[in-house]
Amino acid sequence: MIRKLRIKLVLASMLSLLLVLVIIFSVVGVLNYVKVTQNADEILTLLALNDGHFGGNVDRKSEAGPPEDLHKQGHRFSAEMPYETRYFSVFLKQDGSVTAVNTGKIAAVDTAAAVEYAQTVAASQRAKGFVDHYRYIVYSVGAENHMIFLDCGREISAFRTFLLTTAGVSGAGLAAVMLLLIVLSNRIVKPFSENYEKQKQFITDAGHELKTPLTIIDADAQVPEMDKGENEWLSDIQTQTKRLAELTNHLILLSSAEEQPQIQKIAFPVSDVAQETMEAFQTLAKTRGKTLTGNIQPMLSMCGDEKAVRQLMVILLDNAVKYSNEDGRIELTLEKKKGCIRLSVFNTAEFVSNENLPRLFDRFYRADQSRNSQTGGYGLGLSIASAIVHAHKGKISASTQDEKSLLITVVFPT
């Protein structure tokens, strides 16, 4: 239980941290991408306003002096931007024929490649977008479609490097946090572990201490009965004493089973154990007007604690007999399936809520509280069954198909 608590703590912490990192990573990544496209679109808009040029003297160095400052044109770009920007333009007629190609501002693209890019964009019929690492804009001038392509290779490369670096740093951070959590989780759950161990020890000690006075009370109640005969009050004392003794034994058994000691795995004929257990319940089921059948695959064996597995079958069949409806049907199935020993107990019932199924294996929980006095149970049977299954490294589950039946399934690894 404590080990599961540590695992859940580490997983919950890691998932929470991962979720936060993914959100931050996504937001920052989207903002960076939007920034790259916005900058590219602003430059393309400026180029489109001048039909493929920056306008004024910015496209060439004049003998009169440096280029005109772009800030004077109402833009935030520096005066060096026209010389740093790589772009090309293609002008097409409506029928797709090329009227002009300008690749003077880029060395990586020749005329043929520029025309190929323009045809790809024309086929997409989009006014803006990316083709490879070129951001483009399409606008009409008279009967022509003018396309300007801006090289965003450096910006996209920087963006990808940022993403990879962020992902790598985040991954390394997650790994470091996970290692720290694994180391520190033992200290975090230590108080809970100590309290849990003390609780189990208290239950075991108190159970053993209660056994003696309960035995004495039961023996003392029998003495007046022998002298004066049966008495309503003495019978009630004996009945309640017997119930307390059974409850005490169940608590001790549950505490011992939950400790999950190293089980001596000895091979035993589990088919024979299932057959014997089912036959032992045949009379009880028949006297209560219920039908008990079995579908037991013969000659099956498994490694484990035979006494504990027998106790498991007793608990499951006892639970099915107690809580099945009148004239109910009970079926025990044992088979080897997919390399595992599969044990299941099915019983019809008046009503089984899907919402209550996860709580069936909780201590002292009973779905039908109105039948407590009739069944005489304590709500510990399935808790003990779950502890036995987990001690054997198996799995136990409850299900219902129509809310009028209950199926308890146990799977033991072989």
Side-chain angles (χ1 to χ4, degrees), residues 126-248:
R126 296 179 59 186
K128 283 184 180 181
F130 275 101
V131 54
D132 290 342
H133 55 269
Y134 297 104
R135 182 76 174 173
Y136 65 84
I137 187 172
V138 180
Y139 60 96
S140 299
V141 177
E144 292 183 343
N145 288 328
H146 291 193
M147 303 177 186
I148 304 175
F149 297 82
L150 180 68
D151 184 4
C152 298
R154 285 180 297 180
E155 290 79 4
I156 293 175
S157 177
F159 175 67
R160 289 174 179 170
T161 302
F162 166 78
L163 290 181
L164 292 174
T165 303
T166 304
V169 172
S170 299
L174 280 173
V177 171
M178 186 174 69
L179 290 174
L180 286 173
L181 280 173
I182 292 173
V183 173
L184 297 176
S185 61
N186 189 36
R187 293 187 178 183
I188 295 172
V189 302
K190 188 175 181 180
F192 301 98
S193 175
E194 291 176 349
N195 289 335
Y196 181 68
E197 293 299 325
K198 289 177 181 178
Q199 182 188 40
K200 288 197 301 182
Q201 188 63 42
F202 170 76
I203 292 172
T204 304
D205 294 344
H208 286 295
E209 291 296 327
L210 285 170
K211 276 187 173 183
T212 301
L214 288 173
T215 304
I216 295 173
I217 292 171
D218 186 51
D220 289 345
Q222 292 176 10
V223 174
E225 186 179 19
M226 288 187 292
D227 291 341
K228 299 180 180 181
E230 291 187 2
N231 182 288
E232 177 185 352
W233 312 111
L234 292 176
S235 298
D236 188 52
I237 290 173
Q238 289 176 325
T239 301
Q240 298 303 323
T241 303
K242 192 174 295 183
R243 288 196 66 198
L244 280 173
E246 289 178 3
L247 176 59
T248 302

Side-chain angles (χ1 to χ4, degrees), residues 28-50:
V28 174
V30 168
L31 291 176
N32 273 273
Y33 180 79
V34 169
K35 185 67 175 176
V36 169
T37 55
Q38 281 182 345
N39 287 341
D41 288 342
E42 288 181 11
I43 296 174
L44 286 171
T45 301
L46 178 61
L47 288 169
L49 289 174
N50 295 280

Side-chain angles (χ1 to χ4, degrees), residues 199-212 214 244-261 311 363-364 378 380 383-384 387-388:
Q199 182 188 40
K200 288 197 301 182
Q201 188 63 42
F202 170 76
I203 292 172
T204 304
D205 294 344
H208 286 295
E209 291 296 327
L210 285 170
K211 276 187 173 183
T212 301
L214 288 173
L244 280 173
E246 289 178 3
L247 176 59
T248 302
N249 289 332
H250 276 83
L251 286 171
I252 294 173
L253 179 60
L254 176 60
S255 181
S256 300
E258 285 186 338
E259 289 178 5
Q260 296 186 10
Q311 178 70 26
R363 293 183 185 181
F364 300 106
Y378 307 101
L380 290 173
S383 298
I384 297 171
I388 292 172

Side-chain angles (χ1 to χ4, degrees), residues 45-92:
T45 301
L46 178 61
L47 288 169
L49 289 174
N50 295 280
D51 203 19
H53 302 281
F54 281 104
N57 297 323
V58 295
D59 283 328
R60 60 188 182 277
K61 290 184 179 180
S62 65
E63 297 178 358
E68 182 182 349
D69 190 350
L70 289 174
H71 289 285
K72 295 180 181 179
Q73 300 182 33
H75 299 285
R76 60 182 178 81
F77 303 112
S78 69
E80 297 296 327
M81 189 266 293
Y83 309 113
E84 298 171 350
T85 305
R86 298 290 173 263
Y87 64 95
F88 63 94
S89 58
V90 180
F91 299 166
L92 301 177

